[in-house]
Amino acid sequence: MHVRLAGLAGLLILCCGAYLTLGARGDWSFVLAHRGQKLAALLLVGMSLSWATVIFQTITGNRILTPSIMGFDALYLLLQSLLVWSLGARVYNTLPAQGLMAVNVVMLCAASLVLFMLVLRAGRDDLMRMILTGVVLSVLFRSVTSYFQRVIDPNEYAVVQAVSFARFSGLETDLLIVAVVLSGGAMAAIWRIRHRLDVLPLGPVLSTSLGEPPKRAQWQVLILVSVLVAVSTALVGPVAFFGLLVTSLTYLVVPSPRHAHLLPAAALIAGIVLVGGQTAMERVLNLSTPLSVVVEFIGGLVFLFLLLRSLR
Amino acid sequence: MIEIENVTHRIAGRTILSDVSLELEKGGIVALVGPNGAGKSTLLSLVARLLPLQSGGIQVDGLRIGVAADDVLARTLAILPQELNVASRLTVRDLVGFGRYPYHKGRPTSEDTALVAHALTLFDLDDLAERQLETLSGGQRQRAFVAMAYVQDTEYLLLDEPLNNLDIGTSRALMEQLRNLAETRNRTIVIVLHDINYAAAYADRIVALKAGQVVADGPPDQVVDDGLLRRVFGTDARVSLIDGRPVVLV
Ligand SMILES: Nc1ncnc2c1ncn2[C@@H]1O[C@H](COP(=O)(O)OP(=O)(O)OP(=O)(O)O)[C@@H](O)[C@H]1O
Ligand SMILES: [Mg+2]
């Protein structure tokens, strides 16, 4: 396990080095500062989303569901439409970035907690019912969003569309610092309960017998997941299948039942996918397609594959 | 001591247990018998806090179920449930190792590792230790779960049909080990058995449950007779005494 983790870490360092230096021209200190900030955002978002997905899959007891698939992204778009509709695009655009982020984080946290509770309650141990509840809620959110799309002025709606895709450039340093503090706190909390998380996959009966009733951990985990997903979504926008792609790779590369291995592996793989992918797209292939589109495409395929395999 | 006081349990309007009261003194093996659906698993689940108590009270070693801290209970009471399926991919050694979790909370000491190794040998799992659980046969897996409950090293052990899937040699070896635990270390073992002969041979006390009520209670030679089988199980099997021990002729 440790060899594999070290290998992943080496790969990530290579990716970061390539990202910072490849094709850089002109003033080095400027280039490094500019790219360094973007790199930090990529790493933070990657780590937050991958950890959120790992622990979400641990408490739901399956490896297909992710917070995003459970309707979180649709909820985010709905909230943005509501904001634009109630404030008007001009006000929305002039909102200070920090203010908008704060509003987003608070609303997303609250709404997603309710959402996850609904889905867990509906599903209990039944995977298909959980997925269905998530899908139905997503459709509901989307149709409400499209209602607002009609009542909002088309020009104003362009503002909503602009925030519907993840974007990693042009972040403000202040925002990044706020995000680091919030997500960092949540991730520190996750690391502290990593041994307790190991017990939960044994199922409710055995984990209760070992002194870890799943109910208590479920609440804590849901709150932490909400914070992580809300912060990274408020920072860069929605990335639906990214978490799934990363956790699937993690279970493949580091097949360990222990979160002390899974969590670092997931963070490293998330960094490699985002930073390596961004380097390849921007600097090597010179493509203008945003990375998020490619990640979503591959992640979507992984989701379909896992879903079809579980149905067999 | 396990004290069960006036426990009544209903699911969806049906009464599963009605006003069950039992005192199980410390040390020894108590066999819980009764027809399918009598409420045996439900009663064990309530004692092991796997189901919320609806009415009445249960105390284990003075710890009140529903009130006592979870980790204290985990060091007092272990349960082997009737139905076991673990979704995660674990080796036998990993699984048995989880039995020590209430003590080390994720950071096993060398003592924990030694206890796990000892249990693997005791339950004949050495050759299977590194195998994934899902690749084992039903009986091998059952042994792994028994070993896990064993290393939890609690004063009270609740076993729900532990002989499921076990061959006669393994079954007898397991029952011998339980007798040994009860006699040399004064452990209290409550065990659900369907084979009355095993209950009569190894238990100190037999409690028969039918339709959610205690219908017989006492030492094997006083409880097991033709009448018990007819009243409780509705079958006409003969019981004869061999070496002073009741044996059901099936
Ligand atoms: N979740 C549930 N919902 C509805 N009924 C239940 C539930 N759990 C148990 N029951 C009912 O409670 C009764 C007692 O069940 P229990 O599992 O305790 O029986 P048992 O004595 O262990 O039987 P067996 O020997 O078959 O294991 C049964 O009639 C069963 O159908
Ligand atoms: Mg049962």
Side-chain angles (χ1 to χ4, degrees), chain A:
Chain A
M1 289 305 152
H2 292 108
V3 178
R4 293 186 181 201
L5 285 177
L8 287 175
L11 199 56
L12 179 59
I13 292 174
L14 273 183
C15 288
C16 292
Y19 181 81
L20 287 175
T21 54
L22 230 59
R25 234 171 289 138
D27 186 356
W28 273 92
S29 62
F30 173 77
V31 170
L32 286 185
H34 177 72
R35 288 186 179 182
Q37 193 205 26
K38 221 172 129 184
L39 178 69
L42 286 171
L43 291 176
L44 178 74
V45 168
M47 190 166 168
S48 304
L49 288 178
S50 64
W51 281 31
T53 312
V54 167
I55 63 176
F56 188 78
Q57 295 189 335
T58 294
I59 58 158
T60 52
N62 74 86
R63 296 184 161 184
I64 297 180
L65 291 183
T66 73
S68 313
I69 297 171
M70 306 311 304
F72 186 89
D73 288 3
L75 188 65
Y76 171 75
L77 286 183
L78 176 60
L79 287 180
Q80 301 317 302
S81 310
L82 279 176
L83 277 179
V84 172
W85 172 75
S86 56
L87 300 174
R90 209 163 331 128
V91 182
Y92 180 90
N93 274 337
T94 56
L95 280 181
Q98 290 92 332
L100 186 59
M101 172 142 160
V103 170
N104 268 329
V105 168
V106 171
M107 289 205 307
L108 280 174
C109 267
S112 59
L113 259 185
V114 175
L115 173 73
F116 297 153
M117 288 312 296
L118 273 180
V119 169
L120 277 187
R121 173 125 353 133
R124 287 177 206 272
D125 306 315
D126 189 344
L127 177 63
M128 283 308 143
R129 268 178 70 178
M130 266 201 280
I131 295 184
L132 264 181
T133 315
V135 168
V136 168
L137 287 172
S138 301
V139 171
L140 179 72
F141 295 149
R142 290 226 163 78
S143 54
V144 178
T145 308
S146 70
Y147 167 76
F148 281 104
Q149 187 173 2
R150 292 212 185 90
V151 293
I152 298 173
D153 183 281
N155 295 326
E156 303 206 329
Y157 193 72
V159 176
V160 177
Q161 281 198 314
V163 297
S164 332
F165 290 101
R167 64 227 165 266
F168 290 101
S169 35
L171 295 173
E172 291 189 24
T173 318
D174 302 4
L175 288 191
L176 195 55
I177 291 172
V178 174
V180 166
V181 171
L182 286 175
S183 303
M187 287 190 284
I190 292 174
W191 188 249
R192 281 180 61 110
I193 60 168
R194 65 190 180 284
H195 298 303
R196 293 177 49 201
L197 292 171
D198 290 344
V199 180
L200 298 181
L202 294 176
V205 170
L206 289 182
S207 48
T208 305
S209 173
L210 295 175
E212 289 296 348
K215 274 257 163 54
R216 182 156 41 113
Q218 253 171 16
W219 266 103
Q220 292 179 352
V221 166
L222 282 184
I223 290 171
L224 293 171
V225 167
S226 302
V227 171
L228 285 177
V229 183
V231 170
S232 64
T233 307
L235 190 67
V236 300
V239 267
F241 291 115
F242 171 73
L244 183 72
L245 180 65
V246 171
T247 51
S248 305
L249 284 172
T250 304
Y251 303 136
L252 209 64
V253 179
V254 182
S256 163
R258 297 178 48 194
H259 284 77
H261 296 147
L262 288 175
L263 291 170
L268 292 170
I269 289 174
I272 293 168
V273 168
L274 277 186
V275 178
Q278 193 82 11
T279 313
M281 306 275 296
E282 273 182 24
R283 316 257 198 275
V284 183
L285 302 172
N286 280 316
L287 290 180
S288 56
T289 328
L291 173 67
S292 51
V293 175
V294 179
V295 167
E296 293 308 83
F297 179 68
I298 301 176
L301 286 181
V302 172
F303 176 63
L304 273 182
F305 171 74
L306 290 176
L307 196 59
L308 291 177
R309 201 178 56 174
S310 80
L311 284 178
R312 264 194 295 138

Side-chain angles (χ1 to χ4, degrees), chain B residues 51 117 162 165 167 185 225:
Chain B
L51 290 174
N165 295 318
D167 62 57
R185 301 171 70 181
D225 55 22

Side-chain angles (χ1 to χ4, degrees), chain B residues 37 39-42 82 160-161 192 194:
Chain B
K40 305 180 297 292
S41 298
T42 308
Q82 181 175 0
D160 199 345
E161 302 192 25
V192 176
H194 276 302

